[in-house]
Amino acid sequence: GVEDFIDFKGFEKNPFAFMAKSHVYVLSSKFEGLPGTLVQALACGCSIVSTDCHSGPAEILENGKHGYLVPVGDYEELANKIVLQLKEPLCTKESLINRAKFFSEENAVNKFVDLFYNS
């Protein structure tokens, strides 16, 4: 009964146009390393709900400061947080975009330079 609400587009070369127009980005992973899609969603200013799977989402979202984290497998809480994000977004679009800048190439290079040359 969701066909009137969801459209599965398939592969898209440039998903950022969709992310920028989305109200909520949901990551429901059981496992992650560094989920780049969360950083990309942040860069588009998209509100986030993510599972708090080992390694990645909590670090990117600063333990829930920039998006909701829910326990892996708790689909009811995931649904509740999606609805909450739709009704009352946790963060402003500008603050989400600002958080994404932490993961920029320029910032990463500066951190490495500081680590190796200023230590």
Side-chain angles (χ1 to χ4, degrees), residues 34-47:
L34 176 68
T37 60
L38 281 186
V39 176
Q40 293 164 343
L42 286 171
C44 292
C46 190
S47 295

Side-chain angles (χ1 to χ4, degrees), residues 23-38:
H23 295 286
V24 178
Y25 180 83
V26 179
L27 181 74
S28 59
S29 298
K30 290 182 178 182
F31 309 98
E32 284 291 344
L34 176 68
T37 60
L38 281 186

